[in-house]
Amino acid sequence: MEMNRVASVPAAVTVAFCRVTPFVYLRRGGRASSRVRLFVTSSKMEQEPSGGGGGGEEKQHWVGEWYSVPDLRLRGHRFSVPLDYSSDITTHRHCRISVFAREVVSAGKEDHPLPYLLYLQGGPGFESPRPTEASGWLKRACDEYRVILMDQRGTGLSTPLTVSSLSQLPTVEKQADYLKHFRADSIVKDAEFIRVRLVPDAGLWTVLGQSYGGFCAVTYLSFASKGLKHILLTGGLPPVGTSCTADAVYRACFEQVVHQNEKYYKRFPEDIPVIREVVHYLSEVGGVLLPSGGLLTPRGLQTLGLLGLGSSTGFERLHYMFERVWDPILVPGAERRISYFFLKAFENWVAFDTNPLYALLHESIYCEGTSSRWSAHKVRGEVESIFDPIKAVKEGRPVYFTGEMIFPWMFDEIHALRHLKEAAHLLAEKEDWPPLYDIAALKNNQVPVAAAVYYEDMFVNFKLAMETASKIAGIRVWVTNEFMHSGLRDGGGKVLDHLLGMLKGKKPLF
């Protein structure tokens, strides 16, 4: 993205260590200037705005310069936040990380007194969108809001946790201990930290949560509702309550995954023998090396369903991938091989190498006071007669893809995840996860909430979503089969416009 001016904050997050805990060391006092001086010592790199003072106190907020993309004006904000909000900050004042948020307004509205809307991205472990123009839901939001695109901690420019950065933590125990601070409870505390420093007079803001961002928004509603004006949810009503364990969630999800597989093969019946042939080949040769050094196996192939079965145009993209699965035979009798095109497309689609938090923390988003113990793997064992790819080939059945599930063997077969295998096992065994939702608070909710619930959502089960809706006082729910899980992105401004209409009384109650 091309910028008109250089921002007044560094383009990269600087991390130092305090007992193997990354932090950003900042100064308080004075306004952020257009220049940043870097002071490097043997133990840390300090970032100090030129001309800043403050007597050594910590600065918590940097503001960048405005820049432009077509029809939008944007600027970046960086905040120094505690890694662990439960710690005594006076004794752990340097155990901090940086959280980045991008402010977006329609061109010409930089100084308008607009209400604030915080957008929470799906995930876990994915950064907020990078706008290149005014389009889709963002264009609609900017009609009346000052939009804040927050990179959730550990993603994008918010002290990103990558395979390489996590390797700085010297033991798997320290990796797991560090990673426990990157769930929705901490994300909500970051949002509140930002709200009181960004919104004038620490006023209220509206939160728009897509998918996992909606999970975070319901956590927000549970524990910090005093900061909220409205909540908008798109495919993001999480399973709540003691009965909604990870096992219960995956059992429900596998049912919808079967349905999506059936729909896919009805759309593209010619793919049935092609995929069976690929599975047979992979099983015969013991897997095929991927460009990154990982291994593509029959069960790895099945993970293409994560995006192929659950998002708009996913069916088509999956089909077109398999059109080019084989290298052409240029010389009669040459050995048949899976094409580099297919292997590269496979890795590009499952982006675990660039966003490892998704694999590491996905099951933990369903855990409160209990461990997941590789729940998806366990539940798959209950339906293995349906999902066993080798058995499907032998019986002449379609090979079913899996859905939004992380399995322990991924940390062997995906090259980028191998070094995180032991930490992933520790997180899967962790039992003392703190609560993510407060059902009593939700039942007494007074914040207006509007939610789009997609009837055939593969990622967020419809039945579980509706059970959660019944526990949130005053919520208005729009049930539709017009969109899939990616409806907010796919529908232009339609989904957001419908939800705003529900909040403003423009849509009938029944």
Side-chain angles (χ1 to χ4, degrees):
M1 177 162 49
E2 185 174 337
M3 298 184 181
N4 288 344
R5 299 181 64 183
V6 177
S8 64
V9 293
V13 176
T14 301
V15 179
F17 284 85
C18 171
R19 297 180 183 173
V20 301
T21 305
F23 71 95
V24 179
Y25 191 74
L26 311 171
R27 300 287 188 189
R28 174 183 297 166
R31 295 175 59 85
S33 76
S34 61
R35 301 186 304 279
V36 175
R37 293 203 305 266
L38 301 181
F39 299 87
V40 184
T41 69
S42 60
S43 60
K44 60 182 177 290
M45 178 179 289
E46 300 178 3
Q47 301 177 358
E48 181 171 288
S50 176
E57 293 182 343
E58 186 171 317
K59 180 178 174 62
Q60 297 177 336
H61 180 196
W62 273 328
V63 184
E65 302 284 354
W66 287 106
Y67 62 95
S68 298
V69 300
D71 297 318
L72 296 176
R73 292 282 283 168
L74 310 89
R75 64 178 174 180
H77 297 260
R78 294 181 187 272
F79 301 86
S80 172
V81 306
L83 171 68
D84 179 3
Y85 283 90
S86 66
S87 295
D88 182 352
I89 298 177
T90 61
T91 59
H92 297 84
R93 64 177 299 155
H94 298 314
C95 297
R96 304 180 75 85
I97 59 174
S98 176
V99 172
F100 175 83
R102 197 182 313 271
E103 181 180 358
V104 187
V105 296
S106 293
K109 292 186 177 181
E110 296 93 324
D111 297 323
H112 288 204
L114 299 167
Y116 281 68
L117 182 144
L118 171 69
Y119 175 71
L120 296 176
Q121 169 69 21
F126 289 92
E127 60 272 19
S128 213
R130 268 48 185 167
T132 57
E133 62 179 1
S135 62
W137 71 264
L138 182 59
K139 182 178 186 298
R140 173 64 184 88
C142 286
D143 286 344
E144 55 188 278
Y145 288 100
R146 189 175 296 272
V147 178
I148 305 299
L149 303 175
M150 183 178 81
D151 284 349
Q152 296 166 22
R153 54 169 50 203
T155 74
L157 295 176
S158 295
T159 309
L161 296 188
T162 64
V163 172
S164 53
S165 68
L166 284 168
S167 68
Q168 298 170 32
L169 300 168
T171 67
V172 295
E173 291 80 11
K174 290 187 182 299
Q175 287 179 351
D177 187 62
Y178 190 80
L179 287 162
K180 72 183 183 184
H181 299 299
F182 288 80
R183 295 201 312 161
D185 46 353
S186 294
I187 292 169
V188 167
K189 290 171 183 174
D190 290 342
E192 273 295 276
F193 187 99
I194 292 171
R195 180 186 64 82
V196 299
R197 290 161 177 79
L198 185 61
V199 181
D201 302 318
L204 310 184
W205 60 11
T206 295
V207 172
L208 168 60
Q210 157 65 17
S211 186
Y212 175 68
F215 288 28
C216 295
V218 176
T219 300
Y220 210 146
L221 204 60
S222 295
F223 300 113
S225 62
K226 291 183 179 179
L228 301 172
K229 184 176 182 180
H230 301 116
I231 287 282
L232 304 168
L233 306 172
T234 58
L237 273 170
V240 303
T242 55
S243 62
C244 284
T245 62
D247 288 0
V249 170
Y250 287 115
R251 288 190 182 100
C253 287
F254 266 109
E255 292 179 11
Q256 186 61 37
V257 170
V258 170
H259 180 56
Q260 293 299 109
N261 274 283
E262 292 170 347
K263 289 169 57 181
Y264 174 77
Y265 284 119
K266 285 181 181 178
R267 179 89 64 85
F268 299 107
E270 64 268 39
D271 287 358
I272 295 175
V274 173
I275 295 169
R276 280 203 301 251
E277 191 176 9
V278 174
V279 168
H280 178 72
Y281 175 85
L282 291 172
S283 64
E284 286 291 306
V285 301
V288 171
L289 282 177
L290 291 162
S292 68
L295 190 68
L296 178 61
T297 64
R299 61 189 181 185
L301 185 78
Q302 290 175 290
T303 64
L304 284 172
L306 173 59
L307 293 178
L309 300 184
S311 60
S312 174
T313 72
F315 283 13
E316 292 79 11
R317 291 176 63 196
L318 192 59
H319 169 70
Y320 294 136
M321 279 181 65
F322 280 101
E323 281 189 336
R324 294 187 59 183
V325 67
W326 298 110
D327 266 340
I329 299 297
L330 304 180
V331 178
E335 182 182 354
R336 198 175 198 189
R337 294 178 181 273
I338 292 179
S339 69
Y340 180 84
F341 170 88
F342 183 86
L343 298 175
K344 186 66 174 177
F346 173 85
E347 289 200 313
N348 288 342
W349 210 350
V350 289
F352 297 120
D353 55 341
T354 56
N355 296 80
L357 272 183
Y358 182 85
L360 288 163
L361 291 181
H362 186 266
E363 290 204 348
S364 77
I365 70 176
Y366 303 119
C367 295
E368 299 180 86
T370 184
S371 60
S372 70
R373 299 185 185 277
W374 297 113
S375 177
H377 185 67
K378 176 173 55 179
V379 174
R380 173 175 170 155
E382 299 172 2
V383 292
E384 190 62 11
S385 61
I386 299 174
F387 282 89
D388 184 336
I390 309 302
K391 183 178 180 181
V393 170
K394 290 179 179 178
E395 295 178 354
R397 294 186 288 106
V399 174
Y400 279 5
F401 296 98
T402 51
E404 191 179 31
M405 294 123 186
I406 300 298
F407 304 104
W409 48 260
M410 288 179 170
F411 291 83
D412 293 312
E413 296 182 6
I414 299 173
H415 179 74
L417 298 181
R418 288 174 181 169
H419 298 299
L420 301 173
K421 176 180 177 179
E422 292 181 74
H425 280 296
L426 288 179
L427 291 169
E429 297 293 325
K430 180 178 170 61
E431 296 183 345
D432 58 343
W433 291 109
L436 294 171
Y437 313 106
D438 184 334
I439 294 179
L442 296 176
K443 288 183 176 179
N444 291 302
N445 170 58
Q446 296 183 10
V447 176
V449 181
V453 177
Y454 306 123
Y455 187 73
E456 293 190 339
D457 195 327
M458 190 187 76
F459 296 89
V460 179
N461 182 263
F462 173 75
K463 293 179 182 178
L464 296 181
M466 294 305 290
E467 287 178 12
T468 297
S470 70
K471 296 178 172 68
I472 302 177
I475 189 173
R476 295 199 57 202
V477 177
W478 171 37
V479 177
T480 177
N481 64 355
E482 182 179 354
F483 301 101
M484 298 184 73
H485 186 72
S486 52
L488 181 67
R489 181 184 70 237
D490 303 329
K494 185 174 181 179
V495 171
L496 179 57
D497 188 66
H498 192 103
L499 294 180
L500 290 173
M502 292 168 69
L503 287 180
K504 297 174 181 179
K506 294 182 179 180
K507 302 293 181 182
L509 290 175
F510 302 102

